[in-house]
Amino acid sequence: MNPEALSAALLAVIAPLAEARRPGAAEGLTAADLPLERPKNRDHGDWSSNAALKLAKTVGANPRELAAEIAEGLTAVDGIASVEVAGPGFINVRLDAAAAGALAKTIVDAGAAFGTNTTRSDEIINLEFVSANPTGPIHLGGTRWAAVGDSLARMLTAQGAHVTKEYYFNDHGAQIDRFARSLVAAHEERPTPEDGYGGAYIGDIARRVALAYEGDIDALEPDAKQEAFRALGVGFMFEEIKKSLHDFGVDFDVYFHENDLHESGAVERAVARLTELGHMFEADGATWLRSTTFGDDRDRVVIRSNGTPAYISGDLAYYLDKRERGFNRCIIMLGADHHGYVQRLMAMCAAFGDEPGVNLQILIGQMVNLVKDGQPMRMSKRAGTVVTLEDLVEVVGKDAARYALVRSSTDSNLDVDLDVLQKRTNDNPVFYVQYAHARTHNVGRNAAASGVDRSEFAPELLSHETESALLGVLQEFPRIVSFAAEVREPHRVARYLEELAGIYHRWYDNCRVIPLGDGPVESVHRTRLWLNDATGQVLRNGLGLLGVDAPERM
């Protein structure tokens, strides 16, 4: 019996009780109004509900008395072994072994689809993340967003959402000019400009530009020379960024060029739209957005008095462009240094007539520090000033890097211990989870060699306490994925997988899939193979949502 079936049974019992006490009380009542939770203490049963506490006032009843009536009705439901009332009116439900064990076959039959649904099929999401300037390799903050953003996209897609992963390519503005001047200086063997970019990668890109340029690049006038290094250098740098991300398991659907906004008239269209809506005004020769109307701390200059667009003009144009492309959810993932942008971006969203937090959502991620031998790593061999995506992957590999960056909430700073991630022990969380998956395959191989197959399924035999615990955690997977997608917190899936791996290892130590010695193959062995394979499937599905491999041997 899955949570949906139990919720339906709960509704079937409660609706007539509520109606009998107060006519009309059950009108509009749905299973979603009757929450079910896994008790923290498994001695309290498989599921718990506070439905009686929520409904008592509506139907005019004492919560505990109402809970007792609900419990009496639930005990008659097939698959429910017992129901108890606890405290002021909590209802604790225990399933019988057969009803609980049936989940193992459900998972195996569903395969990769277990944990997916179509509840978000009406959401057309533009998920923008990383979007690092093409002026150098991706630093650790961007690497964290690459891992988290890609995992979030997978989870939203698993819930039926239509997700487009987008990289905003900053190829316009002062930072690009500084990058070009740094390339020219490296080519001419001059010191890096005071406001320029250093690191060995600048010399590498400069050499590539000089080789790729058709003609004598040194014969160009200074401005033309800088433009040549800009055009070719940005392209080469972005190629490297895309390759690094691809090797990290992250590919984008759209690479949107900032420069296109300024050349396509998108800024003018955004200003025109906001003017039409009555939210623009002229003052001191400049064009302003009256963003204080929508909660901003001050109004914003959009077009300066000299006619040049201010920084926010690109934000206005880009947001409108996304909405015109049909996205009804725009999620932007920004680093901690962009926290001050949230208020103005939400005001911008409201100015266009949209709902902040719905049509536009901003996620802020905190910093990442690498620790080795107990000391922070601060310098990259190649980038010089920061540790990069390549540095991390080179030391621990793609899987450990992705998992380590996803398993903690992005609201907090993250210290990644490289020494732990290089260990092949249970101290290493990704090894712990991957080893559990590999163990399920090893059990399957040994079972086949011993003549144990899935030709029989008797769920009532899955009665050991570790089997009850394992089934309970497996049952949670769809809910965990759905909630992680809803609150934009992929780390919840990683932490769930670690819990599942731990409970699976305990089950493995207590319950044999293969007969002992020369003992005969019995129904319990075949049934346990279903549970073993179901666990492997959920571990595989969960690791896939994190973009982490699920090895069959380790």
Side-chain angles (χ1 to χ4, degrees), residues 345-357:
L345 290 175
M346 289 305 179
M348 169 198 73
C349 169
F352 278 113
D354 288 341
E355 185 177 352

Side-chain angles (χ1 to χ4, degrees), residues 215 274 397 445 486 548:
L274 291 167
R445 288 189 293 269
E486 178 183 351
V548 175

Side-chain angles (χ1 to χ4, degrees), residues 481-497:
V481 176
S482 177
F483 188 64
E486 178 183 351
V487 298
R488 319 305 196 220
E489 295 181 350
H491 74 274
R492 294 179 181 273
V493 172
R495 297 302 177 131
Y496 164 85
L497 293 177

Side-chain angles (χ1 to χ4, degrees), residues 98-119:
L103 174 67
K105 188 173 187 302
T106 298
I107 293 172
V108 172
D109 289 345
F114 185 72
T116 66
N117 60 56
T118 58
T119 56

Side-chain angles (χ1 to χ4, degrees), residues 415-529:
D415 289 332
V416 177
D417 192 324
L418 298 179
D419 297 316
V420 170
L421 292 180
Q422 290 176 292
K423 292 180 180 178
R424 292 177 63 82
T425 69
N426 291 343
D427 293 334
N428 179 351
V430 68
F431 176 86
Y432 188 62
V433 174
Q434 287 183 316
Y435 179 69
H437 180 266
R439 176 172 265 184
T440 67
H441 277 268
N442 188 53
V443 167
R445 288 189 293 269
N446 291 337
S450 301
V452 179
D453 58 24
R454 295 202 310 250
S455 59
E456 185 179 4
F457 183 62
E460 68 276 5
L461 299 178
L462 299 176
S463 57
H464 191 275
E465 62 180 3
T466 60
E467 290 172 326
S468 175
L470 182 54
L471 286 161
V473 175
L474 290 171
Q475 183 72 76
E476 284 283 85
F477 181 64
R479 185 188 68 81
I480 293 292
V481 176
S482 177
F483 188 64
E486 178 183 351
V487 298
R488 319 305 196 220
E489 295 181 350
H491 74 274
R492 294 179 181 273
V493 172
R495 297 302 177 131
Y496 164 85
L497 293 177
E498 291 167 36
E499 179 188 5
L500 175 58
I503 291 174
Y504 172 74
H505 290 314
R506 288 196 289 277
W507 172 78
Y508 175 90
D509 291 338
N510 284 276
C511 297
R512 297 188 61 84
V513 173
I514 301 166
L516 187 63
D518 296 328
V521 174
E522 299 177 350
S523 297
V524 68
H525 301 119
R526 298 188 182 95
T527 302
R528 283 175 175 165
L529 182 59

